[in-house]
Amino acid sequence: MSIAVVYGSSTGNTQSAAELIAEKIGDAEVLDIADTSPDDLNGYDKLILGSSTWGEGEFQDDWEDFDWDDVNLEGKTVALFGMGDQESYAEEYCNALGLLYEKVTEKGANVVGEWENDGYEFEDSNALNDAGKFVGLALDSDNQDDLTEERVEKWVESIKSNF
Ligand SMILES: Cc1cc2nc3c(=O)[nH]c(=O)nc-3n(C[C@H](O)[C@H](O)[C@H](O)COP(=O)(O)O)c2cc1C
């Protein structure tokens, strides 16, 4: 079984989180989306995808440039994580996590790993589902870096039976 943790990261925060997630998952490769093709993604059995949010609630640049046309995730197990700044961008905290969710569900993925919206302070995020939970793991290296490892451990524990 092949697993990849794929990140888009401009200053390294999402990359660090991806490496930590891969370490906790165990047998997973870590890929930068800047150097990853749709065929590469299609070739893995399971995927964990992460993006930081830039601009005003937009994808990180390399995810922005990624062409999803030839991606096929039909029936594939996918978990998602996002990196954002809930204090400075409280109205669009981790929106790219919501954008990733939209893309992968369009492509047929079976998304696992929703995450309780407790211990955060923000106004709005499009990464919340109807039940008010995040559609994946929401991280914040700018304001809550001390919580990252604990959150990653708990989240990975919660998705491990799927991976
Ligand atoms: C110009 C700029 C715009 C940003 N926009 C958002 C945003 O809309 N929502 C959010 O949650 N975080 C936003 N952030 C915060 C980044 O997502 C955060 O710093 C993140 O840790 C960067 O991760 P990276 O180094 O992996 O790209 C923004 C940061 C900057 C500098």
Side-chain angles (χ1 to χ4, degrees):
M1 161 117 61
S2 56
I3 304 172
V5 182
V6 188
Y7 66 86
S9 182
S10 297
T11 68
N13 295 334
T14 314
Q15 177 177 3
S16 300
E19 286 163 358
L20 189 59
I21 289 167
E23 186 190 312
K24 304 289 177 195
I25 286 277
D27 196 16
E29 284 180 51
V30 180
L31 307 176
D32 184 341
I33 193 60
D35 309 318
T36 303
S37 69
D39 269 356
D40 294 335
L41 285 193
N42 294 343
Y44 286 90
D45 296 319
K46 303 194 173 191
L47 294 168
I48 300 177
L49 309 180
S51 178
S52 49
T53 299
W54 284 84
E56 287 181 20
E58 287 149 37
F59 266 132
Q60 187 271 342
D61 279 354
D62 302 307
W63 275 116
E64 192 66 58
D65 292 344
F66 183 69
D67 184 355
W68 290 84
D69 284 356
D70 295 326
V71 174
N72 180 1
L73 303 175
E74 210 56 56
K76 192 170 289 196
T77 298
V78 175
L80 305 171
F81 67 103
M83 182 66 76
D85 175 345
Q86 64 197 288
E87 206 174 293
S88 306
Y89 299 91
E91 296 287 345
E92 51 266 317
Y93 173 55
C94 271
N95 269 21
L97 174 57
L99 296 174
L100 274 179
Y101 182 81
E102 267 176 41
K103 290 285 186 189
V104 302
T105 48
E106 252 173 46
K107 296 293 176 182
N110 170 31
V111 180
V112 300
E114 64 177 24
W115 180 247
E116 292 287 348
N117 165 23
D118 288 334
Y120 299 85
E121 268 186 58
F122 60 94
E123 298 299 324
D124 201 9
S125 171
N126 71 1
L128 296 173
N129 62 21
D130 290 346
K133 293 181 182 183
F134 287 111
V135 295
L137 176 65
L139 297 170
D140 182 343
S141 286
D142 293 296
N143 306 292
Q144 298 181 326
D145 202 31
D146 50 328
L147 296 179
T148 297
E149 181 151 11
E150 178 187 326
R151 283 173 171 163
V152 165
E153 275 174 7
K154 204 170 151 196
W155 183 68
V156 166
E157 214 38 60
S158 78
I159 61 170
K160 230 169 184 172
S161 60
N162 301 105
F163 277 85

